[in-house]
Amino acid sequence: MTPPKIKIESLDFYYNDHRILSDINETIPENAITAILGPSGVGKSTFLSLFNRLWETTPAARAEGRVLVRFSRSFMDINAPKFSVVQLRRSVGMVFQMPNPLPMSIFNNVAFPLKLAGIKKKEEVRSRVTTAIQACGLWPEVKDRLDKKAAVLSGGQQQRLCMARALVMEPEILLLDEPTSSLDPKSGKMIEELMVRLKQRCTLIMVSHQPDQVKRIADHVIDFTPGPES
Ligand code: ADP
């Protein structure tokens, strides 16, 4: 197993007074695919939201405990008050269950995070967008229509475009919440193959409902399936 990228220590998570996650202690290996498994409602998406602090957008939510991420050499507690959430979200990309392209061109969809980050040099933007689209195996399918609306793409192509949009910031961690469950089997297989290739570039954490998918591509599994006593 590769060295740890993330360490979760004594983590409790609440919505109002309702405890969703209790005393979680886990390690997530770097440059590997970690799968989060379990039935609906056990807290898999909530667990995923710890790593980009997306949970903070829910007013009733509260996390206690430590989420330590290794950036460069040292582990940092991403919940510490002085830790920049803007910086965190540049290092942690996310892909959702339903492809969610923005209502703009294929090119601008992938360039959008660069614009937000203040990266304006045309050559740099073009080169990073091209590299990200190529990394997602989408280049041959879109290279002649980069100025067309992203909505013209199929669902599978849109999902790979969303992965390119996440990758253009060269994230260290990529979160994926059931990334293939809205896709046909062929598109799902392409996303799986892409995830396996992406291990060279980043650490992947994926929520999955599909045990066969987890067997095929996961290197490490965190299973939230309740035991018989609970
Ligand atoms: P899973 O991904 O395993 O289906 P979730 O993390 O989405 O589970 O949800 C875990 C539990 O937290 C569920 O009982 C859900 O109803 C509850 N929950 C999720 N989001 C919120 C929220 N914003 N406010 C209150 N409760 C929530």
Side-chain angles (χ1 to χ4, degrees), residues 48-172:
L48 203 63
S49 76
L50 291 170
F51 306 115
N52 59 357
R53 286 174 45 182
L54 196 62
W55 62 269
E56 287 182 346
T57 55
T58 304
R62 179 162 57 92
E64 287 174 6
R66 300 209 304 169
V67 179
L68 303 161
V69 179
R70 190 165 56 71
F71 291 111
S72 324
R73 293 231 174 109
S74 50
F75 281 94
M76 297 193 209
D77 182 358
I78 62 168
N79 287 333
K82 65 174 190 252
F83 197 91
S84 157
V85 75
V86 174
Q87 201 54 46
L88 178 69
R89 291 189 189 149
R90 284 188 191 156
S91 310
V92 183
M94 181 148 192
V95 175
F96 295 87
Q97 180 173 359
M98 294 297 290
N100 58 348
L102 299 161
M104 52 180 76
S105 72
I106 292 169
F107 183 92
N108 285 342
N109 256 274
V110 182
F112 193 69
L114 299 174
K115 196 174 169 192
L116 285 186
I119 298 166
K120 290 192 190 120
K121 273 204 215 137
K122 274 200 169 157
E123 265 173 40
E124 182 182 356
V125 171
R126 183 154 289 278
S127 140
R128 286 179 68 166
V129 168
T130 306
T131 304
I133 296 177
Q134 282 170 338
C136 295
L138 195 57
W139 186 248
E141 293 155 69
V142 301
K143 67 178 183 346
D144 298 326
R145 48 177 177 156
L146 292 170
D147 56 342
K148 295 278 181 300
K149 290 259 185 281
V152 303
L153 300 174
S154 71
Q157 288 172 326
Q158 288 186 10
Q159 193 64 317
R160 280 184 286 146
L161 187 72
C162 292
M163 291 183 79
R165 189 175 63 201
L167 290 177
V168 79
M169 293 304 289
E170 297 168 8
E172 296 187 32

Side-chain angles (χ1 to χ4, degrees), residues 15-16 18 20 38-47 58 60 177 207 209:
Y15 288 117
N16 297 309
H18 187 198
I20 305 294
S40 261
V42 288
K44 300 183 298 298
S45 298
T46 300
F47 182 74
T58 304
D177 199 345
V207 169
H209 262 128

